[in-house]
Amino acid sequence: MYGFEALSFNIHGGYLEAIVRGHRSGLLTTADYNNLCQCETLDDIKMHLSATEYGPYLQNEPSPLHTTTIVEKCTLKLVDDYKHMLCQATEPLSTFLEYITYGHMIDNVVLIVTGTLHERDVQELLEKCHPLGMFDSIATLAVAQNMRELYRLVLVDTPLAPYFSECITSEDLDDMNIEIMRNTLYKAYLEDFYRFCQKLGGATAEIMSDLLAFEADRRAVNITINSYPYGHEELAVCEDIDQVRAVMEKYPPYQSIFAKLSYGESQMLDKAFYEEEVKRHCLAFEQQFHYAVFFAYMRLREQEIRNLMWISECVAQNQKSRVHDSVVFIF
Amino acid sequence: MDHFTDKLPQMDLMRSEKMTFVQLIIPAESAHCCITYLGQLGLLQFRDLNSEKSPFQRTFVNQVKRCAEMSRKLRFLMDQINKAGIKSSLSVLQSDTHLEDIETQLSEHEHEIIEMNSNSEKLQQSYNELLEFKIVLQKACGFLVSSHGQIVSEERELEENAYSNGDFVETPFLFEQEIVPGPSKSNQSGLRFISGIICKSKVLRFERMLFRATRGNMLFNQAPTDEQIMDPISAEMVEKTVFVVFFSGEQARRKILKICEAFGANCYPVPEDISKQTQITQEVSSRLSDLEATLDAGIRHRNKALSSVGGHLAKWMDMVRREKAVYDTLNMLNFDVTKKCLVAEGWCPIFATTQIQDALQRATFDSNSQVGVIFHSLDALESPPTYFRTNNFTNPYQEIVDAYGVARYQEANPAVYTTIIFPFLFAVMFGDWGHGICLLLGALVLIAHERKLSNQRLGSFMEMLFGGRYVILLMSLFSMYCGLIYNEFFSVPFHIFGASAYKCRDMSCRDAHTTGLVKYREPYPFGVDPSWRGSRSELPFLNSLKMKMSILFGVVHMNLGIMLSYFNARFFGSSLDIRYQFVPQMIFLNSLFGYLSLLIVVKWCTGSQADLYHIMIYMFLSPFDMLGENELFWGQRPLQILLLLLALIAVPWMLFPKPFILKKLHNERFEGRNYGVLNTSEIDLEVEPDSARAMQHHDDFNFSEVFVHQMIHSIEFVLGSVSNTASYLRLWALSLAHSELSTVFYEKVLLLAWGYDNLLIRLVGLVVFAFATAFILLMMETLSAFLHALRLHWVEFQNKFYHGDGYKFRPFSFATLADDEN
């Protein structure tokens, strides 16, 4: 039903769209980042952030700050935003919002399983998990010995269960298998999310399919570059970054990304991809009456938190010259 | 005219306070003291001279950070005090405590409290663990008895019988003790168990997970605890459930332990040996009571420490807030070249200059500075802020005007007139002296408790009501006045001012609603005749009255607006605006609607039957036709033609001359200037101060823009004078609606119910009537009449003269700090 969202969208989605647009205008701007990059200490960063939406979350932190505290509190703000929106949402928006967290769930599952493999403390691992990707029995993951058990014991209760159909083997869990599992899950998740958005139709389907397709491509390229021979057909045969480049340059949207990189350089690729992603997410706000703004906002906030983490790390470790290496300006 | 207006005394609220831009050069040593004193005075608005610097690059950033840290500690202590539920009396503090003292004291207190907290936290945790252990012991024993009894009952049947046959007192504990070996030793059936305690909300999932992990080879027993207990890790009160899992095999044990860990279930070993059990229970109980005593002592100690701080806390918070504000202000200041002085710039009202200088002198003296503060006025480019000195009574009216837009500096302030006209226009729509009395009572209650309420934090709705208490007061008084004129008391007419002038045609009074009444004596002296209520002539008469009245009010109100534009133009010395805006506007409005008002008044005085619609419409359509029976006075036709001509002339008059004259003036002014710019070298241009360059930029004259602007204004005025006059008819419409609505409630609810001779029905009718009056008439109708009066002010009145593009004077003042904080 393309073109008729304007009639009925605001009945259920209007309030939340207004909320999310309000949150978006609270994102840090280039001027903020310029100021943040000039900070000398973490206290300076806290002081600057106190004038932003992060203010209330940081104001009660005692003075010797750590990077982790800043990131933790900033993530808390994101989580609070998300929870508020989820509380207010009705179907199908609430399902859409839940879909956004599945990615974090996959990451958390992988984190815990890898952690227990290397005999790390479960509580310690739990603290490292992204709060958006928590589910009830996540700690029980540590019990599982192989994929089948993982599925049968824990994941069968979670929304991830359907994505697991391709991973159920009796193989033991090792680093390699877990990485395969992560990517298989992610692939299934993205496909499912894509189908769900197509079902929603309208501008949501249009914009989300673009965003999800980009995400899928980014992951495919990353897998290829990380020398794991599984990806799109042409990428699958590539053996180094320059071959990847040759393949990718055939596609106009990626031409510009690779044009920024000099040959043989792969560290900057992440940043280039993130920049492109941020650009696409910002564009999602140009249309009204669709759900992609929620997805875009969450991703932009996450990017912002990554930026803050990088800046804080640079400031904390006295590496201010490298601040600009990884910060992706949003506006 | 000019002489007359010049001789009028100055009206306080009419023009905003005269402001001056001042520069202060403060020696560094007395800077803090100066700013503090100025904050106490609260009459100087500082300008941020470092706006291009980010907060942490400014001079006093460390002090600001210290203050922020202190207020964090204060918040922490406050939080602790609130949690502990201590209400400490406000102790009077010695007034000359220094910030440094507070800082050290604060960190001491914080340290102390944190240490005590961590101590008691550890104690509390072990206390909670022991408590859980105790509960597990109590509950788990029950399971052990029953289940083990079942399992081994067959094997040990003989012995059991033997025991029961003997004179042995058979308690389950003893029985158990005899027959079940401890879990550490290998059981005959290989059965072992794990006991523990878990949150009630997790039990289901926990059991399911255990079932899956052991493939069903386990037995799960659970018993809820009797009351909520505190979780040792999260320190929250939760409902918990004691469980005992029976299983066999080492691998299962490992799995189960892992699952317990994952679910945050606390496992406690319960010995199967009864004597050991009782022994442990006793041990646990004694340790619990020990811990309880220690904990109590700790809490008492902590509460004492907290209450000693509590007395100072409010005072300290205030001080820290002030200090932070002072340093924030200091951060707006610039260092001069010698780095020994701070330079401040800002706005202050002219009347305050002596007070400010006085405060600065005191500051210099108190800080033992060798050099005084230099205080002098400067010329400023930007327009000064707008500052009205209001009091409790005028403030809400000023707020009503400010909500539309803050007045341009020194422009005529509509609030002066709003004070009376606003409640009056409200009352025209809300005329009912019964409802007026209700409002009056409400307003009087608010005013009577003024002192108490102004110190409280009210909800947003109450705060609005309280802020507007004097508006409500005047609104209610005027409502009663208008209500007396309309002769309505909850829509019921009263014979207050003597007997009615009308009577029925015959005794039965049956035709009052059909043919009407007969007048038999002098008119009713004040307001509407009570006998008209319900008669045939009621609505036609009242409608005609209210409609005409609305137009009269509207024309007068709009004329006042245009008059104010004259005063503005005179004040700012713009004769252009008087000649080409004020005069044609006045002529246009009055030749059309002023004339209509004249006709209305004449018609009222003479009692003529003329049709005013007809006159107004044919004044435009065929001005030269004879008026016939619609002629109200001699010479009406030529007057109409003259007025029509004047109105036609007035339109191009207000449209064309002004932009052309502005263009001419501009050309004249800058004729010689072009050469000047060419002659100056480029270096001169750069040396030129900001002000000159800004002036040049400002002087770009765009004729088409000015012309379009003027055109829009003229069209707006011409069309507006018609639509605005029509807009005043809302006075009639709302008044009619209000009166009809209250009539409906009175007649269809109250009178209907009263018609029954049943107490219950009457009571219900009374209640419904009361609620309808309170919620619909007193709340909804008040709100709607308020909004319509607001609109008449903002749109119809203020667009005649009010620019409203100024900005408010926000002085640096300690008094406003507390409000900002909350």
Side-chain angles (χ1 to χ4, degrees):
Chain A
M1 284 294 284
Y2 194 45
F4 290 98
E5 294 106 334
L7 275 179
S8 57
F9 183 86
N10 279 348
I11 300 172
H12 293 295
Y15 170 68
L16 282 174
E17 188 177 356
I19 291 276
V20 83
R21 281 177 191 275
H23 284 323
R24 171 196 173 271
S25 58
L27 290 171
L28 300 180
T29 59
T30 309
D32 286 319
Y33 283 120
N34 284 339
N35 277 331
L36 282 171
C37 293
Q38 291 167 7
C39 288
E40 297 290 338
T41 63
L42 289 182
D43 273 342
D44 288 347
I45 291 182
K46 175 187 166 189
M47 191 161 169
H48 188 89
L49 288 180
S50 67
T52 66
E53 289 195 350
Y54 294 117
Y57 291 88
L58 285 168
Q59 69 172 359
N60 282 338
E61 288 309 309
S63 209
L65 278 171
H66 298 288
T67 315
T68 44
T69 328
I70 293 181
V71 173
E72 195 182 305
K73 292 294 165 186
C74 294
T75 313
L76 189 64
K77 144 97 183 139
L78 172 68
V79 174
D80 281 355
D81 287 353
Y82 173 80
K83 282 188 177 153
H84 176 76
M85 292 195 289
L86 189 63
C87 276
Q88 302 284 338
T90 50
E91 283 298 330
L93 178 55
S94 49
T95 312
F96 183 89
L97 287 175
E98 277 163 7
Y99 262 105
I100 297 178
T101 62
Y102 294 170
H104 293 294
M105 264 185 212
I106 296 173
D107 287 342
N108 285 352
V109 168
V110 171
L111 178 76
I112 301 256
V113 174
T114 326
T116 29
L117 203 67
H118 296 281
E119 318 229 314
R120 303 279 285 276
D121 182 36
V122 181
Q123 289 305 323
E124 193 185 315
L125 289 170
L126 281 179
E127 279 166 22
K128 282 189 186 160
C129 283
H130 197 285
L132 279 182
M134 291 301 243
F135 50 92
D136 286 334
S137 42
I138 188 162
T140 332
L141 287 168
V143 184
Q145 298 295 327
N146 56 34
M147 297 279 190
R148 191 180 293 279
E149 237 180 22
L150 198 64
Y151 175 72
R152 203 175 51 79
L153 280 183
V154 192
L155 293 177
V156 70
D157 288 337
T158 67
L160 299 183
Y163 308 149
F164 230 82
S165 53
E166 285 183 39
C167 306
I168 305 177
T169 54
S170 296
E171 285 175 58
D172 276 352
L173 290 170
D174 58 26
D175 283 342
M176 184 72 163
N177 281 332
I178 292 172
E179 201 52 36
I180 295 173
M181 177 185 84
R182 180 214 294 271
N183 289 310
T184 327
L185 282 180
Y186 228 102
K187 182 178 169 215
Y189 156 62
L190 286 177
E191 281 168 359
D192 187 34
F193 198 3
Y194 183 86
R195 274 194 301 277
F196 176 73
C197 293
Q198 289 300 321
K199 214 170 69 195
L200 289 177
T204 309
E206 188 192 353
I207 298 170
M208 282 308 291
S209 55
D210 176 55
L211 295 179
L212 291 174
F214 182 77
E215 166 121 15
D217 289 350
R218 182 170 66 86
R219 283 179 177 273
V221 171
N222 271 336
I223 292 168
T224 316
I225 291 171
N226 293 331
S227 75
Y228 183 71
Y230 183 81
H232 292 205
E233 282 165 27
E234 260 185 290
L235 283 172
V237 296
C238 293
E239 280 173 357
D240 61 24
I241 171 94
D242 288 334
Q243 287 183 19
V244 173
R245 172 197 295 269
V247 174
M248 295 306 284
E249 280 181 346
K250 289 179 192 161
Y251 302 97
Y254 300 103
Q255 214 171 4
S256 60
I257 293 179
F258 280 87
K260 285 181 202 158
L261 307 175
S262 53
Y263 278 85
E265 181 186 28
S266 65
Q267 281 96 347
M268 295 297 280
L269 184 65
D270 267 347
K271 192 188 175 191
F273 265 120
Y274 277 137
E275 273 172 358
E276 179 68 18
E277 201 179 356
V278 161
K279 205 171 87 191
R280 282 163 191 255
H281 286 145
C282 286
L283 283 177
F285 282 91
E286 301 294 319
Q287 279 196 53
Q288 220 186 331
F289 308 128
H290 64 92
Y291 293 152
V293 282
F294 298 97
F295 180 78
Y297 167 68
M298 300 293 287
R299 285 298 160 92
L300 286 176
R301 215 20 129 184
E302 279 162 23
Q303 180 61 45
E304 182 173 295
I305 292 167
R306 272 198 294 274
N307 286 344
L308 283 175
M309 181 160 72
W310 178 262
I311 293 175
S312 317
E313 276 300 338
C314 286
V315 169
Q317 298 178 8
N318 260 329
Q319 297 275 323
K320 279 184 66 185
S321 52
R322 297 198 54 202
V323 155
H324 285 281
D325 285 2
S326 177
V327 173
V328 181
F329 294 136
I330 294 177
F331 298 116
Chain B
M1 180 76 180
D2 281 5
H3 285 288
F4 175 69
T5 49
D6 285 339
K7 275 179 202 155
L8 284 176
Q10 282 284 314
M11 269 193 284
D12 264 350
L13 268 182
M14 185 66 175
R15 308 270 170 208
S16 63
E17 293 295 332
K18 284 209 174 73
M19 308 298 274
T20 175
F21 190 70
V22 293
Q23 191 181 44
L24 285 77
I25 300 172
I26 312 170
E29 66 266 25
S30 62
H32 184 268
C33 197
C34 280
I35 302 294
T36 312
Y37 284 7
L38 288 176
Q40 280 162 358
L41 191 63
L43 281 169
L44 186 64
Q45 174 177 356
F46 287 93
R47 206 167 69 158
D48 193 355
L49 300 176
N50 302 320
S51 50
E52 77 285 355
K53 283 188 189 169
S54 58
F56 50 84
Q57 290 171 327
R58 301 189 179 201
T59 325
F60 295 94
V61 59
N62 284 326
Q63 282 87 337
V64 172
K65 268 190 211 163
R66 261 172 60 196
C67 289
E69 180 69 16
M70 277 161 76
S71 46
R72 185 193 63 75
K73 283 175 186 162
L74 282 167
R75 274 198 303 273
F76 169 75
L77 288 174
M78 198 63 153
D79 194 43
Q80 291 293 320
I81 287 177
N82 286 341
K83 259 189 201 162
I86 299 168
K87 287 196 177 62
S88 49
S89 55
L90 279 173
S91 72
V92 184
L93 200 72
Q94 62 276 28
S95 55
D96 53 344
T97 39
H98 284 290
L99 203 65
E100 285 74 19
D101 299 342
I102 298 183
E103 196 174 12
T104 48
Q105 282 195 40
L106 267 181
S107 44
E108 271 170 29
H109 283 304
E110 195 203 14
H111 190 97
E112 194 183 348
I113 299 287
I114 288 180
E115 201 166 310
M116 279 194 254
N117 275 353
S118 67
N119 280 344
S120 68
E121 219 165 77
K122 270 182 218 150
L123 284 177
Q124 188 76 43
Q125 192 180 345
S126 45
Y127 175 82
N128 288 334
E129 275 170 6
L130 278 174
L131 195 67
E132 283 190 345
F133 191 14
K134 193 177 153 191
I135 293 172
V136 170
L137 276 174
Q138 284 168 358
K139 299 276 174 187
C141 288
F143 300 132
L144 293 180
V145 171
S146 54
S147 52
H148 282 255
Q150 281 166 12
I151 294 161
V152 292
S153 57
E154 284 169 21
E155 292 173 24
R156 299 282 171 149
E157 211 175 356
L158 278 174
E159 282 94 327
E160 195 181 347
N161 285 339
Y163 281 120
S164 53
N165 285 341
D167 284 333
F168 204 81
V169 184
E170 193 189 277
T171 65
F173 291 102
L174 285 170
F175 170 64
E176 189 83 2
Q177 188 184 0
E178 286 298 316
I179 57 171
V180 180
S184 48
K185 299 172 230 162
S186 67
N187 201 314
Q188 289 97 326
S189 52
L191 202 64
R192 302 202 267 175
F193 70 87
I194 290 173
S195 57
I197 194 163
I198 189 173
C199 276
K200 198 176 180 184
S201 55
K202 290 185 188 166
V203 171
L204 257 181
R205 273 183 287 122
F206 181 60
E207 188 179 350
R208 191 162 55 207
M209 194 57 67
L210 286 174
F211 188 86
R212 280 187 197 150
T214 58
R215 295 170 191 263
N217 295 321
M218 59 105 205
L219 185 68
F220 188 81
N221 277 316
Q222 52 169 321
T225 54
D226 304 323
E227 57 205 358
Q228 290 200 330
I229 54 170
M230 201 183 268
D231 188 70
I233 291 157
S234 66
E236 278 168 14
M237 295 302 279
V238 283
E239 279 189 60
K240 289 207 159 188
T241 301
V242 175
F243 64 87
V244 179
V245 199
F246 297 94
F247 58 90
S248 64
E250 181 58 26
Q251 210 180 354
R253 197 181 76 91
R254 267 208 314 276
K255 272 188 184 168
I256 290 173
L257 280 178
K258 259 189 177 173
I259 292 173
C260 286
E261 191 192 3
F263 273 88
N266 300 321
C267 297
Y268 298 96
V270 178
E272 285 184 68
D273 198 339
I274 289 297
S275 62
K276 263 191 190 167
Q277 263 179 21
T278 40
Q279 189 192 339
I280 286 179
T281 314
Q282 272 168 7
E283 258 175 48
V284 166
S285 301
S286 68
R287 277 191 60 198
L288 266 178
S289 56
D290 282 356
L291 269 176
E292 208 163 342
T294 332
L295 266 175
D296 274 353
I299 286 172
R300 267 202 307 280
H301 186 62
R302 198 180 72 122
N303 285 357
K304 223 166 85 185
L306 279 177
S307 60
S308 74
V309 190
H312 311 299
L313 220 55
K315 174 110 186 165
W316 285 352
M317 279 187 143
D318 197 42
M319 270 195 74
V320 169
R321 201 181 293 143
R322 282 177 177 211
E323 282 300 316
K324 183 158 183 288
V326 167
Y327 284 118
D328 277 336
T329 311
L330 279 171
N331 270 336
M332 294 185 183
L333 270 47
N334 244 342
F335 271 106
D336 75 339
V337 268
T338 59
K339 296 269 177 195
K340 280 176 187 159
C341 290
L342 285 161
V343 182
E345 284 176 14
W347 291 101
C348 73
I350 282 180
F351 74 84
T353 44
T354 48
Q355 281 166 280
I356 290 174
Q357 275 168 327
D358 195 44
L360 292 176
Q361 256 170 20
R362 272 190 295 131
T364 314
F365 183 75
D366 288 350
S367 57
N368 295 323
S369 171
Q370 303 287 323
V371 198
V373 178
I374 299 169
F375 176 86
H376 60 105
S377 299
L378 287 181
D379 287 334
L381 255 187
E382 68 204 82
S383 123
T386 309
Y387 176 41
F388 293 107
R389 277 191 282 178
T390 53
N391 53 26
N392 274 349
F393 180 77
T394 47
N395 190 47
Y397 298 100
Q398 189 65 55
E399 291 290 321
I400 287 176
V401 171
D402 285 351
Y404 175 81
V406 176
R408 191 180 273 190
Y409 177 62
Q410 293 252 296
E411 135 177 82
N413 180 14
V416 179
Y417 304 95
T418 305
T419 320
I420 296 302
I421 299 177
F422 180 82
F424 179 70
L425 288 185
F426 169 86
V428 171
M429 294 179 267
F430 197 76
D432 188 313
W433 58 282
H435 297 148
I437 287 174
C438 296
L439 275 192
L440 180 67
L441 291 178
L444 286 180
V445 167
L446 285 177
I447 291 169
H449 295 93
E450 189 172 79
R451 194 154 297 167
K452 204 179 90 196
L453 287 173
S454 58
N455 295 327
Q456 278 176 3
R457 295 215 65 74
L458 307 163
S460 63
F461 183 70
M462 265 307 283
E463 193 143 26
M464 216 159 64
L465 274 186
F466 179 69
R469 60 198 180 277
Y470 288 106
V471 182
I472 301 177
L473 178 74
L474 280 198
M475 285 184 340
S476 64
L477 290 179
F478 279 116
S479 298
M480 287 160 68
Y481 170 70
C482 287
L484 285 173
I485 291 183
Y486 297 159
N487 208 343
E488 284 183 25
F489 176 84
F490 295 109
S491 85
V492 186
F494 275 78
H495 294 77
I496 302 175
F497 303 100
S500 165
Y502 291 86
K503 61 174 186 185
C504 302
R505 286 170 193 275
D506 51 23
M507 294 303 284
S508 62
C509 230
R510 259 180 283 114
D511 52 359
H513 296 273
T514 49
T515 32
L517 305 164
V518 215
K519 188 173 179 182
Y520 73 107
R521 47 182 285 182
E522 284 300 292
Y524 191 69
F526 184 84
V528 173
D529 196 305
S531 292
W532 284 350
R533 161 71 42 172
S535 73
R536 192 179 70 97
S537 46
E538 183 197 1
L539 272 186
F541 174 77
L542 282 184
N543 282 347
S544 149
L545 170 78
K546 287 179 178 172
M547 200 191 318
K548 286 171 182 152
M549 194 177 69
S550 308
I551 290 190
L552 287 185
F553 288 146
V555 171
V556 170
H557 202 202
M558 287 189 289
N559 268 312
L560 176 66
I562 303 176
M563 280 306 292
L564 284 175
S565 81
Y566 165 74
F567 285 116
N568 266 345
R570 240 176 66 81
F571 185 84
F572 294 114
S574 152
S575 60
L576 205 65
D577 280 343
I578 298 180
R579 261 178 257 151
Y580 302 109
Q581 205 144 323
F582 165 69
V583 176
Q585 283 185 354
M586 212 57 183
I587 290 175
F588 185 83
L589 182 69
N590 286 312
S591 60
L592 301 181
F593 295 101
Y595 175 61
L596 177 61
S597 311
L598 179 76
L599 290 182
I600 290 172
V601 173
V602 171
K603 188 178 168 180
W604 274 350
C605 294
T606 59
S608 150
Q609 299 270 320
D611 184 356
L612 296 189
Y613 293 122
H614 192 273
I615 298 178
M616 284 310 287
I617 290 169
Y618 282 91
M619 177 173 161
F620 294 99
L621 293 185
S622 47
F624 302 105
D625 283 5
M626 290 303 285
L627 287 160
E629 59 180 8
N630 284 328
E631 181 152 354
L632 278 162
F633 52 85
W634 180 84
Q636 192 180 355
R637 197 165 64 102
L639 179 68
Q640 279 186 193
I641 295 169
L642 177 71
L643 289 175
L644 199 60
L645 275 177
L646 279 176
L648 285 180
I649 293 167
V651 177
W653 187 356
M654 67 179 102
L655 174 57
F656 293 112
K658 196 180 158 187
F660 285 102
I661 291 173
L662 278 177
K663 186 178 186 204
K664 197 170 140 242
L665 281 178
H666 176 83
N667 287 343
E668 275 170 14
R669 194 184 302 160
F670 288 95
E671 229 162 3
R673 190 64 65 90
N674 291 333
Y675 300 106
V677 174
L678 277 179
N679 286 340
T680 49
S681 62
E682 280 184 24
I683 305 151
D684 275 355
L685 259 177
E686 275 168 30
V687 173
E688 250 182 327
D690 283 353
S691 56
R693 229 178 296 167
M695 281 281 281
Q696 240 156 13
H697 178 74
H698 193 74
D699 272 336
D700 282 343
F701 185 84
N702 189 341
F703 177 72
S704 60
E705 200 175 293
V706 173
F707 190 79
V708 168
H709 197 70
Q710 185 68 18
M711 199 160 78
I712 292 171
H713 264 280
S714 308
I715 292 174
E716 195 187 313
F717 183 82
V718 171
L719 295 182
S721 62
V722 182
S723 64
N724 289 355
T725 312
S727 180
Y728 277 94
L729 289 176
R730 72 184 67 232
L731 292 175
W732 158 48
L734 263 95
S735 163
L736 177 73
H738 182 84
S739 123
E740 287 302 311
L741 208 57
S742 48
T743 310
V744 165
F745 287 133
Y746 175 70
E747 285 180 359
K748 300 294 171 201
V749 177
L750 196 61
L751 287 190
L752 192 77
W754 232 246
Y756 293 91
D757 197 16
N758 183 332
L759 190 68
L760 191 73
I761 295 181
R762 284 186 176 187
L763 208 65
V764 168
L766 194 67
V767 168
V768 171
F769 175 73
F771 271 87
T773 305
F775 289 104
I776 299 182
L777 293 174
L778 285 176
M779 283 173 67
M780 304 295 292
E781 279 280 291
T782 308
L783 209 62
S784 87
F786 186 95
L787 288 179
H788 282 284
L790 204 61
R791 185 222 143 94
L792 287 179
H793 271 84
W794 282 352
V795 180
E796 276 74 28
F797 178 52
Q798 291 185 5
N799 75 0
K800 301 286 184 292
F801 67 98
Y802 191 57
H803 291 102
D805 53 358
Y807 64 102
K808 249 187 178 163
F809 177 56
R810 296 190 189 283
F812 167 62
S813 159
F814 289 151
T816 55
L817 275 182
D819 300 342
D820 295 347
E821 191 83 353
N822 300 317

